[in-house]
Amino acid sequence: MKTLLTLICCAALAPAAMAQVDSVQLLKDVETLSADKFMGRQTGSKGNRMAQFYLLDRFKKAGIQPWEGTYEQPFYFTSGDKRIMGTNLFGYIPGKTDSVIVVSAHYDHVGVGPGNGADSIFNGADDNASGVAAILGIAAWFAKHPPRHTLIFAAFDGEEMGLRGARDFVSRPPVPLKKIKANINLDMVSRNGNNELYACGTFQNPHLKPAITAAAANSKIKLLMGHDRPDEGSQNWTNQSDQGVFHAQQVPFIYFGVEDHEDYHKVSDEFSRIQPSFFYQAANTILDVLKRIDQQ
C-alpha cells in the first residue's frame, strides 16, 4: 500500500512552488476514514464514534484549537422511534478579527446495508470522507499562515439523516450568527470524470463570485459555478447539504461538490475509486477560494 500511495501522491503533485495542501496526508485521511473498520460511520454507531476518535487526533495535529476546551458538541434527535446522539466536532484557527468563516464537511455516512462482509459496508470515500480530509488539509495550511477572519473548522454529524448536525450548530452557534460572514461547505470533492468541481452559491451571494472567478483562472481543474438557481429543480443544490442550514439563517455560503457519480450512496464508493490528482487539485482550489474570501 505504501508503494501505491507514493505513486498516486507523486501523480497528484503540482510543482513544488504550487504545493499547498499536504497531498500525502490528504490521501491518508480519506483512505482511513473510508476503511471498513468504521462500518460506514452512521450517526450513533460504534463506527461513527471510532471515526470521531480519529478526527479528534487529526484536529489537534492540524493545528485546530478546541473551542472553550473541547472539540465535541453532542446533540440528540429522534428518528422513527429511536433517540439518537450525534456529535459535531469543531475548533478554530484565530484570525486578526472576531468575524468568522465556518469551513465545514460532514463526516457521517449511511452505515451498513443488507448482506455480509465488506460488500455490505457503505464506506463513503467521496461522500464525505473526501470533504473532511480536505478541510483538515486546509486547516493545516492556515495554522501556518494565520487568516484575517477567525476560521471555525467543523466536521458535522447527522447530515445523512437530515442535516442534523448543521441544524444543531446554527441553533446554538459558538458565536452570534451575525458574526459568521460565510459558510464554506465541502461534500464530495474527490472525483469527476470531466475534471469539474462546482461552486454553488454565487446566485444567492454574488459578492463571493470574484473570489471564485480568480481561483478558477489559476486552477488545474475546471471550477464552475451553478446548481444554485431556484428554477433548476432537483439540480439546485442549495439545500442538499449542510450549507442549506446556513443559507436559511441568511449566512452567505459556497458549497463545493461534484456531480453525482455511479457510486453515489453505494457500497462501491471506496477509496480505490477516488481520483488522487483531481482530489489534490480540488483541495488546493478550494483553499485558494477561501484565501481570497478571507482577504475580501
Side-chain angles (χ1 to χ4, degrees), residues 2 9 16 30 216 229 244 271 282:
K2 182 181 289 187
C9 285
V30 73
R229 299 179 65 90
F271 174 71

Side-chain angles (χ1 to χ4, degrees), residues 192-199 216 219-225 257 278 281 285:
N192 180 266
N194 295 319
N195 209 37
E196 295 174 347
L197 176 71
Y198 274 91
S219 180
K220 295 182 181 298
I221 61 174
K222 299 173 187 174
L223 179 60
L224 307 175
M225 289 175 272
F278 175 84
Q281 299 300 342
T285 298

